[in-house]
Amino acid sequence: MIKKTMLILSVIISQITIVYGQKSNVTKEAHLGLPKSNELFKEIFKLDSIFFNAFNQCDTVVYRQYISDDLEFYHDLGGVHYLDKEMQSVREKCSRDIQMTRKLVKNSLEVYPLGSYGALEIGVHRFYEKKPNEKEYPIGTYKFLHVWQKKGDKWKITRVISYDHPGIKN
């Protein structure tokens, strides 16, 4: 199962790399993925906001509601981990004195339909830390892919790829 998932994710990443690596005469107004006015784009944008608001506010109950039981999280430095490790990581983040928050980089979000399965979300996000009695400061800007599955009216993230972490040692 993991080999099949890795193959699919490798194909997705290679296609994205090809698209981003090509030089073109496309204007700055061009938008990859669905237009921002598309209902699926709006829905995934809203889900991203709710999901990461829960992350930022350390609301592990809401955060967990948006993660599939069979989550596979691939990190370019840390390898793969699953649901239990992800929830442990968030709980540890929330128990620290230093607050960490995530913000989506404006206009970086791309959404692609995945047939009747759900949607692919691709974007760039920036993480910040704030020590007690100090101002918030950026700690890094990274790329991500989320595979969202829709069952009935519920959306859950089944796969995550977090990549392009230059300068970070694991």
mmCIF file of all heavy atoms in Angstrom, residues 34-52 66 104 109-113 115 117-121 146 148-157:
data_model
loop_
_atom_site.group_PDB
_atom_site.id
_atom_site.type_symbol
_atom_site.label_atom_id
_atom_site.label_comp_id
_atom_site.label_asym_id
_atom_site.label_seq_id
_atom_site.Cartn_x
_atom_site.Cartn_y
_atom_site.Cartn_z
ATOM 1 N N LEU A 34 -7.683 25.322 -10.330
ATOM 2 C CA LEU A 34 -9.016 25.887 -10.501
ATOM 3 C C LEU A 34 -8.994 27.393 -10.238
ATOM 4 O O LEU A 34 -8.226 27.865 -9.403
ATOM 5 C CB LEU A 34 -9.992 25.234 -9.525
ATOM 6 C CG LEU A 34 -10.250 23.742 -9.710
ATOM 7 C CD1 LEU A 34 -11.086 23.205 -8.561
ATOM 8 C CD2 LEU A 34 -10.934 23.481 -11.048
ATOM 9 N N PRO A 35 -9.862 28.134 -10.918
ATOM 10 C CA PRO A 35 -9.944 29.570 -10.619
ATOM 11 C C PRO A 35 -10.458 29.790 -9.196
ATOM 12 O O PRO A 35 -11.195 28.984 -8.653
ATOM 13 C CB PRO A 35 -10.944 30.096 -11.647
ATOM 14 C CG PRO A 35 -11.482 28.948 -12.380
ATOM 15 C CD PRO A 35 -10.750 27.718 -11.984
ATOM 16 N N LYS A 36 -10.061 30.897 -8.599
ATOM 17 C CA LYS A 36 -10.462 31.205 -7.222
ATOM 18 C C LYS A 36 -11.980 31.317 -7.071
ATOM 19 O O LYS A 36 -12.494 31.184 -5.969
ATOM 20 C CB LYS A 36 -9.795 32.494 -6.760
ATOM 21 C CG LYS A 36 -8.303 32.369 -6.600
ATOM 22 C CD LYS A 36 -7.687 33.679 -6.170
ATOM 23 C CE LYS A 36 -6.188 33.558 -6.079
ATOM 24 N NZ LYS A 36 -5.536 34.787 -5.676
ATOM 25 N N SER A 37 -12.668 31.562 -8.153
ATOM 26 C CA SER A 37 -14.127 31.683 -8.101
ATOM 27 C C SER A 37 -14.820 30.316 -8.113
ATOM 28 O O SER A 37 -16.012 30.220 -7.848
ATOM 29 C CB SER A 37 -14.618 32.515 -9.291
ATOM 30 O OG SER A 37 -14.248 31.880 -10.508
ATOM 31 N N ASN A 38 -14.081 29.247 -8.386
ATOM 32 C CA ASN A 38 -14.649 27.908 -8.448
ATOM 33 C C ASN A 38 -15.089 27.450 -7.060
ATOM 34 O O ASN A 38 -14.401 27.699 -6.068
ATOM 35 C CB ASN A 38 -13.597 26.947 -9.032
ATOM 36 C CG ASN A 38 -14.096 25.531 -9.109
ATOM 37 O OD1 ASN A 38 -14.061 24.817 -8.115
ATOM 38 N ND2 ASN A 38 -14.541 25.140 -10.285
ATOM 39 N N GLU A 39 -16.221 26.763 -6.989
ATOM 40 C CA GLU A 39 -16.767 26.331 -5.693
ATOM 41 C C GLU A 39 -15.839 25.359 -4.973
ATOM 42 O O GLU A 39 -15.691 25.438 -3.750
ATOM 43 C CB GLU A 39 -18.154 25.710 -5.875
ATOM 44 C CG GLU A 39 -19.233 26.721 -6.248
ATOM 45 C CD GLU A 39 -19.325 27.887 -5.259
ATOM 46 O OE1 GLU A 39 -19.336 27.655 -4.031
ATOM 47 O OE2 GLU A 39 -19.375 29.053 -5.719
ATOM 48 N N LEU A 40 -15.185 24.444 -5.705
ATOM 49 C CA LEU A 40 -14.264 23.514 -5.055
ATOM 50 C C LEU A 40 -13.064 24.262 -4.494
ATOM 51 O O LEU A 40 -12.618 23.990 -3.372
ATOM 52 C CB LEU A 40 -13.806 22.424 -6.035
ATOM 53 C CG LEU A 40 -12.841 21.384 -5.462
ATOM 54 C CD1 LEU A 40 -13.457 20.641 -4.272
ATOM 55 C CD2 LEU A 40 -12.416 20.394 -6.555
ATOM 56 N N PHE A 41 -12.549 25.234 -5.240
ATOM 57 C CA PHE A 41 -11.440 26.048 -4.729
ATOM 58 C C PHE A 41 -11.855 26.732 -3.428
ATOM 59 O O PHE A 41 -11.131 26.687 -2.430
ATOM 60 C CB PHE A 41 -11.009 27.098 -5.755
ATOM 61 C CG PHE A 41 -9.837 27.927 -5.286
ATOM 62 C CD1 PHE A 41 -8.551 27.594 -5.668
ATOM 63 C CD2 PHE A 41 -10.019 29.032 -4.457
ATOM 64 C CE1 PHE A 41 -7.461 28.340 -5.222
ATOM 65 C CE2 PHE A 41 -8.943 29.780 -4.007
ATOM 66 C CZ PHE A 41 -7.663 29.431 -4.395
ATOM 67 N N LYS A 42 -13.030 27.356 -3.433
ATOM 68 C CA LYS A 42 -13.514 28.049 -2.234
ATOM 69 C C LYS A 42 -13.665 27.088 -1.051
ATOM 70 O O LYS A 42 -13.331 27.435 0.083
ATOM 71 C CB LYS A 42 -14.854 28.724 -2.513
ATOM 72 C CG LYS A 42 -14.772 29.902 -3.452
ATOM 73 C CD LYS A 42 -16.168 30.444 -3.711
ATOM 74 C CE LYS A 42 -16.198 31.531 -4.746
ATOM 75 N NZ LYS A 42 -17.576 31.988 -5.014
ATOM 76 N N GLU A 43 -14.161 25.889 -1.336
ATOM 77 C CA GLU A 43 -14.374 24.919 -0.266
ATOM 78 C C GLU A 43 -13.041 24.459 0.337
ATOM 79 O O GLU A 43 -12.890 24.402 1.560
ATOM 80 C CB GLU A 43 -15.160 23.712 -0.802
ATOM 81 C CG GLU A 43 -15.617 22.781 0.278
ATOM 82 C CD GLU A 43 -16.742 21.874 -0.173
ATOM 83 O OE1 GLU A 43 -17.022 21.784 -1.385
ATOM 84 O OE2 GLU A 43 -17.344 21.231 0.701
ATOM 85 N N ILE A 44 -12.065 24.158 -0.509
ATOM 86 C CA ILE A 44 -10.760 23.722 -0.008
ATOM 87 C C ILE A 44 -10.054 24.870 0.712
ATOM 88 O O ILE A 44 -9.429 24.670 1.757
ATOM 89 C CB ILE A 44 -9.896 23.133 -1.139
ATOM 90 C CG1 ILE A 44 -10.554 21.884 -1.724
ATOM 91 C CG2 ILE A 44 -8.477 22.851 -0.668
ATOM 92 C CD1 ILE A 44 -10.788 20.749 -0.733
ATOM 93 N N PHE A 45 -10.159 26.080 0.192
ATOM 94 C CA PHE A 45 -9.580 27.245 0.861
ATOM 95 C C PHE A 45 -10.163 27.389 2.272
ATOM 96 O O PHE A 45 -9.447 27.628 3.245
ATOM 97 C CB PHE A 45 -9.826 28.507 0.032
ATOM 98 C CG PHE A 45 -9.236 29.752 0.617
ATOM 99 C CD1 PHE A 45 -7.894 30.039 0.444
ATOM 100 C CD2 PHE A 45 -10.015 30.634 1.342
ATOM 101 C CE1 PHE A 45 -7.325 31.201 0.984
ATOM 102 C CE2 PHE A 45 -9.468 31.785 1.891
ATOM 103 C CZ PHE A 45 -8.128 32.064 1.714
ATOM 104 N N LYS A 46 -11.473 27.218 2.396
ATOM 105 C CA LYS A 46 -12.143 27.311 3.694
ATOM 106 C C LYS A 46 -11.691 26.187 4.625
ATOM 107 O O LYS A 46 -11.412 26.420 5.806
ATOM 108 C CB LYS A 46 -13.663 27.256 3.504
ATOM 109 C CG LYS A 46 -14.446 27.344 4.794
ATOM 110 C CD LYS A 46 -15.940 27.288 4.535
ATOM 111 C CE LYS A 46 -16.704 27.287 5.844
ATOM 112 N NZ LYS A 46 -18.139 27.118 5.632
ATOM 113 N N LEU A 47 -11.586 24.962 4.089
ATOM 114 C CA LEU A 47 -11.133 23.833 4.893
ATOM 115 C C LEU A 47 -9.710 24.054 5.396
ATOM 116 O O LEU A 47 -9.396 23.765 6.556
ATOM 117 C CB LEU A 47 -11.202 22.536 4.080
ATOM 118 C CG LEU A 47 -12.601 22.007 3.776
ATOM 119 C CD1 LEU A 47 -12.542 20.944 2.694
ATOM 120 C CD2 LEU A 47 -13.268 21.480 5.037
ATOM 121 N N ASP A 48 -8.846 24.567 4.525
ATOM 122 C CA ASP A 48 -7.470 24.866 4.910
ATOM 123 C C ASP A 48 -7.461 25.860 6.068
ATOM 124 O O ASP A 48 -6.723 25.696 7.037
ATOM 125 C CB ASP A 48 -6.698 25.432 3.711
ATOM 126 C CG ASP A 48 -5.256 25.741 4.043
ATOM 127 O OD1 ASP A 48 -4.980 26.874 4.516
ATOM 128 O OD2 ASP A 48 -4.393 24.880 3.845
ATOM 129 N N SER A 49 -8.299 26.873 5.967
ATOM 130 C CA SER A 49 -8.379 27.898 7.004
ATOM 131 C C SER A 49 -8.849 27.319 8.340
ATOM 132 O O SER A 49 -8.258 27.591 9.389
ATOM 133 C CB SER A 49 -9.318 29.012 6.547
ATOM 134 O OG SER A 49 -9.460 29.978 7.545
ATOM 135 N N ILE A 50 -9.873 26.499 8.311
ATOM 136 C CA ILE A 50 -10.399 25.889 9.541
ATOM 137 C C ILE A 50 -9.360 24.946 10.149
ATOM 138 O O ILE A 50 -9.094 24.976 11.362
ATOM 139 C CB ILE A 50 -11.714 25.126 9.258
ATOM 140 C CG1 ILE A 50 -12.820 26.101 8.849
ATOM 141 C CG2 ILE A 50 -12.133 24.296 10.471
ATOM 142 C CD1 ILE A 50 -14.049 25.430 8.268
ATOM 143 N N PHE A 51 -8.768 24.120 9.298
ATOM 144 C CA PHE A 51 -7.789 23.124 9.747
ATOM 145 C C PHE A 51 -6.593 23.792 10.421
ATOM 146 O O PHE A 51 -6.178 23.413 11.521
ATOM 147 C CB PHE A 51 -7.348 22.280 8.547
ATOM 148 C CG PHE A 51 -6.354 21.206 8.868
ATOM 149 C CD1 PHE A 51 -6.709 20.129 9.664
ATOM 150 C CD2 PHE A 51 -5.081 21.249 8.337
ATOM 151 C CE1 PHE A 51 -5.795 19.122 9.951
ATOM 152 C CE2 PHE A 51 -4.161 20.252 8.611
ATOM 153 C CZ PHE A 51 -4.521 19.186 9.423
ATOM 154 N N PHE A 52 -6.036 24.821 9.771
ATOM 155 C CA PHE A 52 -4.857 25.453 10.347
ATOM 156 C C PHE A 52 -5.186 26.469 11.436
ATOM 157 O O PHE A 52 -4.331 26.775 12.260
ATOM 158 C CB PHE A 52 -3.948 26.024 9.258
ATOM 159 C CG PHE A 52 -3.100 24.932 8.663
ATOM 160 C CD1 PHE A 52 -3.408 24.384 7.442
ATOM 161 C CD2 PHE A 52 -2.012 24.421 9.369
ATOM 162 C CE1 PHE A 52 -2.641 23.351 6.914
ATOM 163 C CE2 PHE A 52 -1.242 23.396 8.852
ATOM 164 C CZ PHE A 52 -1.553 22.852 7.623
ATOM 165 N N TYR A 66 -10.370 16.704 10.896
ATOM 166 C CA TYR A 66 -10.049 16.876 9.474
ATOM 167 C C TYR A 66 -8.951 15.930 8.989
ATOM 168 O O TYR A 66 -8.474 16.069 7.868
ATOM 169 C CB TYR A 66 -9.664 18.338 9.210
ATOM 170 C CG TYR A 66 -10.864 19.238 9.315
ATOM 171 C CD1 TYR A 66 -11.180 19.858 10.517
ATOM 172 C CD2 TYR A 66 -11.714 19.420 8.232
ATOM 173 C CE1 TYR A 66 -12.301 20.657 10.628
ATOM 174 C CE2 TYR A 66 -12.842 20.211 8.334
ATOM 175 C CZ TYR A 66 -13.132 20.828 9.541
ATOM 176 O OH TYR A 66 -14.254 21.609 9.645
ATOM 177 N N LEU A 104 -0.956 30.667 5.457
ATOM 178 C CA LEU A 104 -0.876 30.372 4.034
ATOM 179 C C LEU A 104 -0.320 31.587 3.308
ATOM 180 O O LEU A 104 -0.751 32.717 3.560
ATOM 181 C CB LEU A 104 -2.279 30.047 3.505
ATOM 182 C CG LEU A 104 -2.389 29.650 2.049
ATOM 183 C CD1 LEU A 104 -1.689 28.323 1.780
ATOM 184 C CD2 LEU A 104 -3.875 29.544 1.661
ATOM 185 N N LEU A 109 -2.145 29.205 -3.171
ATOM 186 C CA LEU A 109 -2.997 28.017 -3.162
ATOM 187 C C LEU A 109 -3.434 27.608 -4.561
ATOM 188 O O LEU A 109 -3.884 28.437 -5.352
ATOM 189 C CB LEU A 109 -4.231 28.255 -2.297
ATOM 190 C CG LEU A 109 -5.068 27.017 -2.014
ATOM 191 C CD1 LEU A 109 -4.300 26.052 -1.133
ATOM 192 C CD2 LEU A 109 -6.372 27.401 -1.353
ATOM 193 N N GLU A 110 -3.289 26.319 -4.841
ATOM 194 C CA GLU A 110 -3.795 25.703 -6.060
ATOM 195 C C GLU A 110 -4.676 24.537 -5.646
ATOM 196 O O GLU A 110 -4.348 23.807 -4.704
ATOM 197 C CB GLU A 110 -2.660 25.170 -6.927
ATOM 198 C CG GLU A 110 -1.704 26.227 -7.416
ATOM 199 C CD GLU A 110 -0.526 25.604 -8.159
ATOM 200 O OE1 GLU A 110 -0.714 24.601 -8.866
ATOM 201 O OE2 GLU A 110 0.586 26.123 -7.994
ATOM 202 N N VAL A 111 -5.789 24.358 -6.345
ATOM 203 C CA VAL A 111 -6.696 23.260 -6.063
ATOM 204 C C VAL A 111 -7.013 22.549 -7.370
ATOM 205 O O VAL A 111 -7.278 23.192 -8.390
ATOM 206 C CB VAL A 111 -7.996 23.763 -5.392
ATOM 207 C CG1 VAL A 111 -8.995 22.623 -5.206
ATOM 208 C CG2 VAL A 111 -7.688 24.425 -4.056
ATOM 209 N N TYR A 112 -6.962 21.222 -7.307
ATOM 210 C CA TYR A 112 -7.263 20.375 -8.461
ATOM 211 C C TYR A 112 -8.263 19.316 -8.030
ATOM 212 O O TYR A 112 -8.090 18.694 -6.977
ATOM 213 C CB TYR A 112 -5.993 19.687 -8.964
ATOM 214 C CG TYR A 112 -4.925 20.644 -9.419
ATOM 215 C CD1 TYR A 112 -4.025 21.192 -8.508
ATOM 216 C CD2 TYR A 112 -4.835 21.024 -10.748
ATOM 217 C CE1 TYR A 112 -3.050 22.088 -8.924
ATOM 218 C CE2 TYR A 112 -3.866 21.913 -11.171
ATOM 219 C CZ TYR A 112 -2.968 22.439 -10.254
ATOM 220 O OH TYR A 112 -2.010 23.329 -10.662
ATOM 221 N N PRO A 113 -9.306 19.079 -8.832
ATOM 222 C CA PRO A 113 -10.245 18.012 -8.486
ATOM 223 C C PRO A 113 -9.576 16.643 -8.675
ATOM 224 O O PRO A 113 -8.718 16.480 -9.540
ATOM 225 C CB PRO A 113 -11.386 18.206 -9.489
ATOM 226 C CG PRO A 113 -10.816 18.978 -10.622
ATOM 227 C CD PRO A 113 -9.667 19.780 -10.065
ATOM 228 N N GLY A 115 -11.391 13.657 -9.284
ATOM 229 C CA GLY A 115 -12.560 12.854 -9.634
ATOM 230 C C GLY A 115 -13.565 12.805 -8.498
ATOM 231 O O GLY A 115 -13.801 13.797 -7.823
ATOM 232 N N TYR A 117 -13.115 11.220 -5.791
ATOM 233 C CA TYR A 117 -12.394 11.020 -4.531
ATOM 234 C C TYR A 117 -12.374 12.285 -3.682
ATOM 235 O O TYR A 117 -12.618 12.250 -2.487
ATOM 236 C CB TYR A 117 -10.956 10.566 -4.803
ATOM 237 C CG TYR A 117 -10.182 10.250 -3.551
ATOM 238 C CD1 TYR A 117 -10.296 9.000 -2.948
ATOM 239 C CD2 TYR A 117 -9.357 11.201 -2.956
ATOM 240 C CE1 TYR A 117 -9.600 8.699 -1.785
ATOM 241 C CE2 TYR A 117 -8.656 10.907 -1.790
ATOM 242 C CZ TYR A 117 -8.781 9.662 -1.211
ATOM 243 O OH TYR A 117 -8.092 9.372 -0.058
ATOM 244 N N GLY A 118 -12.020 13.420 -4.309
ATOM 245 C CA GLY A 118 -11.899 14.648 -3.535
ATOM 246 C C GLY A 118 -11.105 15.705 -4.263
ATOM 247 O O GLY A 118 -11.420 16.048 -5.400
ATOM 248 N N ALA A 119 -10.030 16.186 -3.636
ATOM 249 C CA ALA A 119 -9.280 17.294 -4.219
ATOM 250 C C ALA A 119 -7.822 17.244 -3.781
ATOM 251 O O ALA A 119 -7.490 16.710 -2.719
ATOM 252 C CB ALA A 119 -9.897 18.624 -3.794
ATOM 253 N N LEU A 120 -6.984 17.838 -4.610
ATOM 254 C CA LEU A 120 -5.568 18.022 -4.309
ATOM 255 C C LEU A 120 -5.351 19.497 -4.015
ATOM 256 O O LEU A 120 -5.747 20.356 -4.804
ATOM 257 C CB LEU A 120 -4.709 17.594 -5.498
ATOM 258 C CG LEU A 120 -3.203 17.843 -5.380
ATOM 259 C CD1 LEU A 120 -2.606 16.997 -4.267
ATOM 260 C CD2 LEU A 120 -2.519 17.533 -6.709
ATOM 261 N N GLU A 121 -4.748 19.777 -2.875
ATOM 262 C CA GLU A 121 -4.419 21.140 -2.473
ATOM 263 C C GLU A 121 -2.904 21.281 -2.481
ATOM 264 O O GLU A 121 -2.199 20.469 -1.889
ATOM 265 C CB GLU A 121 -4.949 21.409 -1.054
ATOM 266 C CG GLU A 121 -4.528 22.744 -0.494
ATOM 267 C CD GLU A 121 -4.912 22.936 0.967
ATOM 268 O OE1 GLU A 121 -5.273 21.959 1.653
ATOM 269 O OE2 GLU A 121 -4.820 24.082 1.436
ATOM 270 N N HIS A 146 -1.787 18.516 0.020
ATOM 271 C CA HIS A 146 -2.756 17.776 0.819
ATOM 272 C C HIS A 146 -3.703 17.077 -0.143
ATOM 273 O O HIS A 146 -4.210 17.711 -1.078
ATOM 274 C CB HIS A 146 -3.591 18.707 1.699
ATOM 275 C CG HIS A 146 -2.834 19.327 2.814
ATOM 276 N ND1 HIS A 146 -3.340 20.357 3.569
ATOM 277 C CD2 HIS A 146 -1.619 19.079 3.330
ATOM 278 C CE1 HIS A 146 -2.467 20.701 4.487
ATOM 279 N NE2 HIS A 146 -1.402 19.950 4.357
ATOM 280 N N TRP A 148 -7.271 15.658 -0.158
ATOM 281 C CA TRP A 148 -8.521 15.694 0.598
ATOM 282 C C TRP A 148 -9.485 14.664 0.026
ATOM 283 O O TRP A 148 -9.688 14.613 -1.185
ATOM 284 C CB TRP A 148 -9.172 17.069 0.491
ATOM 285 C CG TRP A 148 -8.489 18.165 1.235
ATOM 286 C CD1 TRP A 148 -7.482 18.977 0.775
ATOM 287 C CD2 TRP A 148 -8.764 18.596 2.570
ATOM 288 N NE1 TRP A 148 -7.125 19.886 1.747
ATOM 289 C CE2 TRP A 148 -7.897 19.677 2.859
ATOM 290 C CE3 TRP A 148 -9.655 18.174 3.557
ATOM 291 C CZ2 TRP A 148 -7.912 20.329 4.092
ATOM 292 C CZ3 TRP A 148 -9.669 18.835 4.777
ATOM 293 C CH2 TRP A 148 -8.807 19.896 5.031
ATOM 294 N N GLN A 149 -10.092 13.875 0.898
ATOM 295 C CA GLN A 149 -11.106 12.910 0.492
ATOM 296 C C GLN A 149 -12.455 13.389 1.012
ATOM 297 O O GLN A 149 -12.574 13.806 2.174
ATOM 298 C CB GLN A 149 -10.795 11.527 1.064
ATOM 299 C CG GLN A 149 -11.809 10.475 0.653
ATOM 300 C CD GLN A 149 -11.485 9.119 1.250
ATOM 301 O OE1 GLN A 149 -10.922 9.008 2.335
ATOM 302 N NE2 GLN A 149 -11.842 8.079 0.531
ATOM 303 N N LYS A 150 -13.454 13.292 0.142
ATOM 304 C CA LYS A 150 -14.803 13.676 0.552
ATOM 305 C C LYS A 150 -15.672 12.432 0.619
ATOM 306 O O LYS A 150 -15.812 11.704 -0.360
ATOM 307 C CB LYS A 150 -15.419 14.683 -0.420
ATOM 308 C CG LYS A 150 -16.751 15.226 0.057
ATOM 309 C CD LYS A 150 -17.271 16.332 -0.818
ATOM 310 C CE LYS A 150 -18.526 16.932 -0.205
ATOM 311 N NZ LYS A 150 -19.080 17.985 -1.052
ATOM 312 N N LYS A 151 -16.239 12.209 1.806
ATOM 313 C CA LYS A 151 -17.195 11.112 2.011
ATOM 314 C C LYS A 151 -18.473 11.747 2.528
ATOM 315 O O LYS A 151 -18.477 12.314 3.627
ATOM 316 C CB LYS A 151 -16.663 10.105 3.030
ATOM 317 C CG LYS A 151 -15.547 9.233 2.500
ATOM 318 C CD LYS A 151 -15.177 8.174 3.525
ATOM 319 C CE LYS A 151 -14.084 7.270 2.998
ATOM 320 N NZ LYS A 151 -13.684 6.270 4.005
ATOM 321 N N GLY A 152 -19.521 11.672 1.730
ATOM 322 C CA GLY A 152 -20.757 12.364 2.087
ATOM 323 C C GLY A 152 -20.490 13.847 2.069
ATOM 324 O O GLY A 152 -20.044 14.398 1.068
ATOM 325 N N ASP A 153 -20.707 14.520 3.186
ATOM 326 C CA ASP A 153 -20.421 15.959 3.261
ATOM 327 C C ASP A 153 -19.188 16.246 4.113
ATOM 328 O O ASP A 153 -18.918 17.388 4.450
ATOM 329 C CB ASP A 153 -21.638 16.725 3.778
ATOM 330 C CG ASP A 153 -22.009 16.358 5.216
ATOM 331 O OD1 ASP A 153 -21.519 15.326 5.719
ATOM 332 O OD2 ASP A 153 -22.785 17.105 5.835
ATOM 333 N N LYS A 154 -18.432 15.218 4.465
ATOM 334 C CA LYS A 154 -17.242 15.367 5.312
ATOM 335 C C LYS A 154 -15.970 15.285 4.474
ATOM 336 O O LYS A 154 -15.820 14.404 3.625
ATOM 337 C CB LYS A 154 -17.185 14.263 6.383
ATOM 338 C CG LYS A 154 -18.396 14.203 7.283
ATOM 339 C CD LYS A 154 -18.274 15.188 8.391
ATOM 340 C CE LYS A 154 -19.416 14.964 9.372
ATOM 341 N NZ LYS A 154 -19.829 16.132 10.028
ATOM 342 N N TRP A 155 -15.057 16.205 4.730
ATOM 343 C CA TRP A 155 -13.747 16.226 4.086
ATOM 344 C C TRP A 155 -12.684 15.856 5.110
ATOM 345 O O TRP A 155 -12.715 16.343 6.241
ATOM 346 C CB TRP A 155 -13.433 17.628 3.572
ATOM 347 C CG TRP A 155 -14.179 18.037 2.353
ATOM 348 C CD1 TRP A 155 -15.369 18.701 2.303
ATOM 349 C CD2 TRP A 155 -13.765 17.859 0.998
ATOM 350 N NE1 TRP A 155 -15.721 18.949 0.999
ATOM 351 C CE2 TRP A 155 -14.747 18.435 0.180
ATOM 352 C CE3 TRP A 155 -12.650 17.269 0.401
ATOM 353 C CZ2 TRP A 155 -14.657 18.449 -1.210
ATOM 354 C CZ3 TRP A 155 -12.562 17.280 -0.976
ATOM 355 C CH2 TRP A 155 -13.559 17.855 -1.763
ATOM 356 N N LYS A 156 -11.733 15.025 4.679
ATOM 357 C CA LYS A 156 -10.602 14.680 5.546
ATOM 358 C C LYS A 156 -9.332 14.604 4.705
ATOM 359 O O LYS A 156 -9.359 14.205 3.543
ATOM 360 C CB LYS A 156 -10.828 13.344 6.237
ATOM 361 C CG LYS A 156 -11.986 13.405 7.227
ATOM 362 C CD LYS A 156 -11.947 12.268 8.188
ATOM 363 C CE LYS A 156 -13.095 12.440 9.168
ATOM 364 N NZ LYS A 156 -12.807 11.940 10.449
ATOM 365 N N ILE A 157 -8.226 14.961 5.338
ATOM 366 C CA ILE A 157 -6.928 14.853 4.678
ATOM 367 C C ILE A 157 -6.442 13.418 4.834
ATOM 368 O O ILE A 157 -6.368 12.900 5.957
ATOM 369 C CB ILE A 157 -5.914 15.832 5.299
ATOM 370 C CG1 ILE A 157 -6.369 17.276 5.073
ATOM 371 C CG2 ILE A 157 -4.523 15.600 4.723
ATOM 372 C CD1 ILE A 157 -5.527 18.304 5.809
#
